[in-house]
Structures are given as structure tokens and as C-alpha cells.
Amino acid sequence: MHDDRNLVEARLERVLRERIRPAVHPVTTPLTVEIWSTPGEPVPVAEGLAAPTRPIAPGTPWGTPWGTSWFKVTGTVPAEWAGRTVEAVLDLGFTPRTPGFQCEGLVYRPDGTPVKGLHPRNTHVRVGSPVAGGEQVHWRIEAASNPDLDASGVPFRPTPMGDRATAGDAPQYVLGELRLAVFDETVWNLVMDLEVLGELMAELPVDGARRWEILRAVGRALDAVDLQDVNGTAERARACLAEVLAVPAAPSAHRISAVGHAHIDSAWLWPIRETVRKVARTTSNMTALLAEEPEFVFAMSQAQQFAWIKEHRPEVYAKVKKAVAEGRFVPAGGMWVESDTNMPGSEAMARQFVHGKRFFLDEFGIENDEAWLPDTFGFAAGLPQIIRAAGSTRLLTQKISWSRTNSFPHHTFQWEGIDGSRIFTHFPPVDTYNCEMTGSQIAHAARNFKEKGAATRSLAPTGYGDGGGGTTREMVAKAARLRSLAGSAAVAWEAPADFFAKAEAEYPDPPVWVGELYLELHRATLTSQAQTKQGNRRSEHLLREAELWAATATVRTGFPYPYEQLDRIWKTVLLHQFHDILPGSSIAWVHREARETYTRLAGELEGVIGAAQRALAGEGERTLIFNSAPHTRGSVPAGGAAARAAQGDTVTPVPREGGGYLLDNGLLRVEIDGRGLVVSAYDITADREAIAPGQAANLLQLHPDFPNQWDAWDVDAFYRNVGSDLAEVAGLEAEGGAVRVERVFGGSRVIQLLSVPADAKRLDIDTEVDWHETERFLKLAFPLDIRADRYAAETQFGHVYRPTHQNTSWEWAKFEACNHRFVHLDEPGWGVAVVNDSTYGHDVTRAVRTGAGDAGTTTTVRASLLRAPRYPDPETDQGVHRFRHALVPGATIGDAVREGYRANLPERRVGGAAEVAPLVTVDNDAVVVSAVKLADDRGGDLVVRLYEANGGRARATVSADGFAADRAVLTDLLERPLADAERPAAADGGVVLALRPFQMVTLRLPRA
């Protein structure tokens, strides 16, 4: 037989495009359309419904950037359409390529009841099936003219459209046709039949019989269609396909659990206020689709997004709650938002689950067993313990499939964290969280699945996402045909919990991956938008202080504990940890608002802290030092206050022979040369130099930074090929107890203050950068005379070790990584820490020196300070920034932990009468308290969370003044007693804990 595949396939494509798809709506009539545009921000629904309108015709431009227009749509169903299915087809000016990234609409009835959302690939609204004829159509459409930032077709092009203040007022869209139409369900089903078979056929081997069976059936169906009467011959064409569509899948076929999904970024190429409306549009669509499709199941994560609907669209929320109660609209993930997981601190990562799971429990009586993070940019090694402590045991993500260097070896596995906790983890092999049920996607999932022979199941999140939209009726129709179809994986709609239960049952002993799930992409998100990151770090520590001092003051003085205020602030901070806000990958509008929000929250939290500390200090003239860090500072205990001079006295700089200055406190001697660079940091007590021979620390280095794509997200390895040392000094002088260094480069200026405290082996470096570069990357380098095959970087509730070498492609790919407050390197008996107050990105490299008589190793730690990408925010990071770092020679890992907290929790001076004893004490510095607070249920119990911080076994006694240690219980993160945990032993008025490395525990102590 002659090979006519290309002929038939090309025929199928054209006939579908030009004849069959247009025949889905064979008869149409125009609707009457009027418009009213809001003069500013979106208005309440009632105001939009009542607004006066003016006529607008198809082809008319409308919609200023980020504007809102209300369309009034009216019409009458023709009498001759009686007995037929009728729907409206509403084109606001869509282009088909980017659902969720351009204009969108939500259709309302005159009484304000939402009907469904509109986006480029979901433009229909059902009128009736069948109609009687003569029905009146009267709708309003709340339409958002959100600009398409990639409308030029050139990706990552800088654009002013990312903020209403710079976007101008030129109309963004041209109104399309808004029409009533007869819907021919037979033709629509023929389209679905042909698309499914055509897509499947393209994935089958040419030498297999199944491909040819489908090809011949498709050819017969196309012969059966009269192109001049598609509607009259569609049923005949469908009959030609029935036999090949009825052949069942092989018993060994891969099984896919389809989960309806609409990954909605809580902010990204749109502001938070627009996400509120995106969620309403999408959930309106999904509740409507659930009513039409009895087998369909939809899952939505992010409790924040449910809370937005509840607050802003209660009529939509009522539909959602009803569908949740029926088990078909599934709250997933149990987190407040789908956050970044690298940068949030220990408590913040825990509170993501506390607030998310509690919302789902309170609103729906549902507790999730899975974390749902399909789009997060890598996963910190501390996360498994947090997921377990929240009462969950599973994780879903697919983002690791984006890695550019190494292919992850598993799709289903156990992930083990730093403390030994394991969670059952699944990466959907479909390699997208926006599956459209195409034949290529389903075939890719089956081929790609790495657990073949051991497991048979995978999950496919199905629906348009990022900008929302969700699942369409076309996707549901395709899934129905793929339920059991020869040559394809078998598809069934299932809730995430059902998938995980079956996957665990068939694969009880999966492989184990230990340590972080590092994404070999989007590494620059650890640095972009520095002020957003600083706002997050500052907020996390202010919340720690506010809870600690408010709890202490409530117990000691009756101070009113600010439950509602702290709850609201925590949720705001958690929202801004979303994986396109904290990582710095959103438009200018988002980050402008984030900076304003962090400033407002800081003011509120400072107010709480100040009021609580004044209540504790009482009226008096003594100066009390409040220490909110988890370690004693001088004579001030952790969590207490005492009268003494505040730490911060520094040694006086002394001129250095040859230029520069010397800082020497008897413990550490630091030499700063005439360039303002640190050429020596000598640990006097250990008789050990920290700086590598011939090298200089406090070295600012500038690199070009123009990645191949994803400007705000990516830094590519080749950036290191070219760089310059900023060693020219514009000013060098002693200023009080510090050495002031000034540098000028490009359009930017740096001022640094270098100081050594009087009583510690630590060099403090305060850096102010007035940054006006573009597409540049600024690093702060510390070349150290230390040989270490690995280094420690702080993560949630502990630290993770990373290699300093590049033996394999896995190590090479980690050329930019995340730390929280410190990195630490050591040789046996001696180490060095580099601590920070607000930076996350860093790199560590090693080189062997080749000088005469010196084959030592130089290990260089570089903190990433600033970038200047131009997309999606063309003004990223322009302006003044301040950073604090410290170099700590001779540091143990315990010293690194302590110094990291010191840098982020400065002492506070408060006038008062009496010293304040700590509410909670721990007798082992290896056991660190991460939170002291009152229980969320407002019962008055004290909640203390702590963890082993050094990576070893630790025994500690925890005491709480005024609380009953003999009634203390271990709880989960939601402060519920652990069913399988013994009550901790009480001794010496406290609770005795024996902790394994990095173990985190939560104690609940009732009042005595």
C-alpha cells in the first residue's frame, strides 16, 4: 500500500480548520453591546452593574492598560431556533495564544449573579438547551484590559506596561464579535473525535498497525463529511470513527489521574488586586463545568485565594463551598500560598502550612495530606520535616523537569530531608502543570515516566494556568475519549488524594532522594528585587519579636495579646512569599506595592514590640537591653532584658603602615589596605589567618548579566567568564569606630563601614549601594585560606551541606545557591562563617594555589548583592540599598547559628524599672527556640517551637516561667497533641527533650 500519511494528515488539519470547527456554530446573530469604563481602579459589582453605558461596535478599540470596562450585552433568541441549543460567543478582542495573559471577563446576570468567566479559549456562555425561542439575553461583563506584556512576540523585551503609572492610556484591545449562536453538539463531538485521533495517530509508531487503523478511519470520516453540509453529515462521519474509538487500551497501559487545575499565580505579570478577580473568573468557570460534567474533578490550592473569593465574591464562594461539600472541588496543598521554599525562614515556612491547613479545616472540614507546589523554583532540604510536622505526608511538583543540566532520575520517590523525615513525592511526567489533554502530552507522560516496571500511575494537572482559566469542556471531552483507548495511556478524573493512595499502594518501597531538590534554573531569583527580599527577612524577624514580647507581657502583666493583628500580618507576609513575589520575578507594580506593604507592616510590628516591652519594663530611668535572639548576649539572657551597656562598642581604627587601617581587639586583627580591601583577618587566639595569601576580602566584583532568557529569573553560568574587581577607592578614612570606604563605578556609588566589636572575633561590614546599573551582577567576595570539600548553608530548622567542588554535572549546576543567615566552612578544629542580614544568593568556589612553597586551597565565598534585569520590571533594583554582612574567623557551626541570629535580631534599648526574666529558657545552645507565642486557639497556653541547630544529638531542659511543665505536650504545627508521642519528661521545673540532628519540636504548655 502506498504511504499516504502526509496526505491524510494535511487533509485532516485543513478540513478541521476551515470547515468542521466553523460549523460548530452554524447560525449566528449579533448581540447589542454597550460599554462603560471605570475612571480608575475596579469598582464594586453593584456599581458596575448600575453604571451608564454607551454603544460600542465590533472593531472599536477599548481598554486602557490595567483598566476595567463594563459591557452591557443584550439580545433575543430568534424564534426559528426553537428546540436547538443556543449559546453566546463573546470575543472581547482575544488572541488565542495566551489565555490568562491578556484581557479577561466575568459575565453577570442583571442581579449580580456571576455566570462564568471569559478568556481566549473559553468564550462561550450557554443560553439554553433546548431553547423555546424568544428568550431575552441580558448580561453584564466585567472586562479587565490587562496588557499582554509579550504582545510584541519578542519574549523578555523591557516594557513600561508593568505598572499603571508608566503604562500610558492607549487602548489595548479591539472589540471582536459578540453573537448568539446555535451550538451543534454533533459537530462539536466530531471535532473532539478527530482531534483526539489525529493527535494520538501522530504519536504512534509508523510501523505499528494501530496508527494505520486510525489513519484509514480518519480518511473514511473525511470522505463522509459533505463540506457543503457539515452539519447534515457530521453524524455519518462520527460513525466512521466509532470502531477505532472503541478499541480499549492495553491492560499494561500507563494510567493517568487527571486533576482539573488552574495554577493561578497570586501575582506575577499582574498585580495582586487582579489575581483576586482572576480567581473569581476561574472558579466561576470551574463550578459551571462541574455542573455540566459529572466525572470532572477540580483541585485548587492556596488558601489565600479561597479567602479572596470569600471576601470579595461571596456569591462565587457559595458555589465553591457547595462543590467542595460534594467532593468535586478539592482544596489542595494545605498552604496559604504556593510559596517559594528556598528563602522563607523556618517559622514562615511552618506558618504557610499552619494558616493554609487551618483555613481548609475551618471552612470545609478538610485536612490535606499533600503539599501542592507545581511551579515553585526548587525545594529546600528542610521542607520534608515541615510537611510532616503539619500532618501531611506527600508532595507534588513538576518544576524540577525544567532543570537544564541534569535529568532528575525519578518521578515517584521518597524525599528525605535534613532531619531524616521522608515524604512520598510525585513529579508528573507530563512535565507541565497546564496539561491540555493533547495526544502529545499524554504520550510524553507515558514515555517519560521513569518508574516503568515498578509503578504504572502518574498525575496530570489539567487546565490553563499561570493567569488562570482552568479546565475547558474540550479537555474534559478529550479525557473521556482517552479513558480507555488503544495506543494511549488510560485517563481518569481523580482527586489528588485518590491518586496518591493508589500510587503508594502499588509502589510501597520507592527510591529515596536525600537533600534539597535543587532547580537547575531560575537561580537569580535569590537576588532580584533586593528590597522585596529585605522586607521579607525583616518582617519575619519582627514577627518573632512581636510574638515573643507580646506573649511575655501577656503572662507577666496582662498585656492584651494581639491575636487578630498578628494573624493578619502573618497572612500578609505569607502572601508576599508567593513564588513570583519574594523571588523578584513580578512586574514593577507588584514590587512597588510589596515595598509599601513591608514598610507599613514594620510600623505595625514595631508598635506591638514597643508596647509589650514598655509594659514589661515598667516606669523607670534604667536603660534595659532587650534580647530577642535565642542565645545569651553578654549578661542579657535570651528572651529577657537586663541593664547593661548595649553591645556595639567597636575598636578604634589605627593607621596601617603602607596605607589603610588596622582593627585589633585582642581576639581578631583585621588589616584594611589602602584600597579599602581586607588583606588579613587574623584569629589571634587560634594563631590562624582567615584570608587566603595574596588575596583580599570585602572585594566587590561586577559581572555582565544578560541570561539567554527569563531575565529576572536566570543567571547563566557564563556570567563568570567576564568580571571586574571594584578595587578603585574614592575615599578611605576612619569614622568613629569604623573604617569608611567609598567606591564609584558606572553610575553607582558604594559606601562601606568596616568595624570590629570590642569583645568578639567578628568583622562587621555595612554596605550602602546607590545602584544605577543595568544588566549587571554585583557580588561581595571573601577568599578564605581554608580547604573544605563541603560547606554548610542555613535552611529551615538547620543547614544543608553542599560540595565546594564540581566533580559531576550535579555539583557544577549549583553555581548559585540559597542560604538564610549564614554559610560556614571548616577544617577539623577551625572554621569561618559569613553571615548576612538580608541576602540569600551566594556561590562558593575553590582553587589550589600554585605559588612557590604553597599548594594550599583558597575557598571563596561570594554573597550576591544586586542585579539589574530589565524584564519584567525595567527598573529592577534601581536606587539605594543597604546590606549587613560579617566575617567570623574561628567560628564553629554553633557560632555561625548564633551570629546569624545576632545580625538579624539587634538589641533594643528601653527605659524602665526592672529587668525582665525570660519567659522560656533552654539550657543547651545547640537547641534554638524559633517561636514563643500564645496558642492560636486563644486558650492561654504557651507554644514554644525549637530545633536542634548544629546537626548533632542534643539533650536540653526547656523551662517556662508560670507554666505547668508536667502537663506539657508535643504537638504538630497546628498545635494539636501528637497522638503517638509520649508526654515529655518533667525535671527541675522544666521539660527534658532529647533531640536528633535538626529535629524540630513544638511544645504546648498550659498555665500553671
Side-chain angles (χ1 to χ4, degrees), residues 302-464:
Q302 306 192 75
Q304 170 69 88
Q305 296 188 358
F306 286 85
W308 278 333
I309 317 172
K310 180 181 180 182
E311 178 182 357
H312 297 282
R313 292 290 193 272
E315 65 283 3
V316 177
Y317 192 62
K319 294 182 179 181
V320 169
K321 288 201 76 169
K322 180 176 182 294
V324 170
E326 293 167 351
R328 300 182 59 216
F329 194 119
V330 182
M335 296 175 67
W336 191 246
V337 295
E338 289 181 12
S339 72
D340 181 81
T341 76
N342 284 312
M343 291 176 282
S346 303
E347 275 304 308
M349 200 73 253
R351 304 301 175 93
Q352 287 285 353
F353 288 91
V354 169
H355 287 284
K357 296 195 80 168
R358 185 169 288 136
F359 182 91
F360 290 158
L361 282 164
D362 291 346
E363 291 293 317
F364 310 119
I366 289 174
E367 180 158 9
N368 304 92
D369 200 32
E370 78 288 334
W372 185 274
L373 292 164
D375 191 31
T376 295
F377 309 151
F379 301 89
L383 189 57
Q385 176 173 209
I386 296 170
I387 293 173
R388 280 277 180 183
S392 298
T393 61
R394 300 159 172 167
L395 169 68
L396 179 135
T397 183
Q398 67 81 46
K399 198 66 175 186
I400 301 301
S401 70
W402 287 40
S403 286
R404 289 294 183 262
T405 305
N406 298 283
S407 176
F408 195 80
H410 313 298
H411 281 111
T412 303
F413 60 100
Q414 290 278 6
W415 179 28
E416 182 178 313
I418 55 175
D419 75 314
S421 295
R422 291 181 176 181
I423 55 174
F424 188 86
T425 303
H426 180 65
F427 293 173
V430 72
D431 283 350
T432 178
Y433 50 80
N434 294 329
C435 177
E436 298 175 39
M437 277 293 136
T438 65
S440 59
Q441 290 172 328
I442 299 306
H444 174 76
R447 284 195 301 264
N448 188 39
F449 188 53
K450 292 185 170 67
E451 318 307 318
K452 297 184 189 77
T456 65
R457 297 179 179 276
S458 69
L459 186 146
T462 302
Y464 295 118

Side-chain angles (χ1 to χ4, degrees), residues 633-833:
R633 292 176 176 173
S635 60
V636 183
R644 69 150 176 79
Q647 288 187 332
D649 293 340
T650 57
V651 299
T652 301
V654 175
R656 172 179 174 268
E657 185 177 350
Y661 292 91
L662 182 68
L663 299 168
D664 188 339
N665 66 0
L667 301 171
L668 179 67
R669 183 170 65 248
V670 174
E671 294 186 44
I672 301 166
D673 71 5
R675 302 168 297 171
L677 301 177
V678 176
V679 292
S680 175
Y682 190 74
D683 181 349
I684 297 171
T685 56
D687 191 21
R688 174 73 185 258
E689 175 62 59
I691 307 302
Q695 301 290 310
N698 187 44
L699 176 63
L700 290 165
Q701 296 180 311
L702 191 66
H703 296 272
D705 184 17
F706 190 68
N708 288 344
Q709 57 181 352
W710 297 108
D711 294 35
W713 294 257
D714 282 358
V715 56
D716 290 329
F718 54 73
Y719 89 90
R720 294 187 292 189
N721 297 347
V722 179
S724 57
D725 294 344
L726 303 180
E728 295 293 324
V729 65
L732 179 66
E733 60 183 351
E735 185 176 283
V739 176
R740 184 182 186 275
V741 183
E742 183 175 354
R743 305 187 194 282
V744 178
F745 59 94
S748 303
R749 180 182 301 271
V750 176
I751 296 174
Q752 291 182 302
L753 296 177
L754 281 66
S755 61
V756 171
D759 56 356
K761 286 191 292 186
R762 185 179 75 240
L763 169 65
D764 289 324
I765 303 171
D766 292 356
T767 302
E768 179 183 289
V769 186
D770 189 5
W771 180 247
H772 297 284
E773 308 305 304
T774 59
E775 296 169 351
R776 295 289 187 271
F777 197 4
L778 184 64
K779 292 266 190 173
L780 179 63
F782 299 88
L784 305 173
D785 186 13
I786 195 164
R787 178 176 175 82
D789 292 333
R790 66 177 189 173
Y791 72 97
E794 188 183 34
T795 189
Q796 292 98 2
F797 298 113
H799 52 266
V800 61
Y801 286 105
R802 298 191 185 98
T804 60
H805 57 75
Q806 297 179 355
N807 281 359
T808 72
S809 59
W810 294 88
E811 284 105 25
W812 176 85
K814 295 180 181 179
F815 58 81
E816 185 79 5
C818 183
N819 70 287
H820 286 184
R821 288 166 292 223
F822 70 81
V823 296
H824 179 262
L825 304 93
D826 66 359
E827 296 172 359
W830 193 85
V832 179

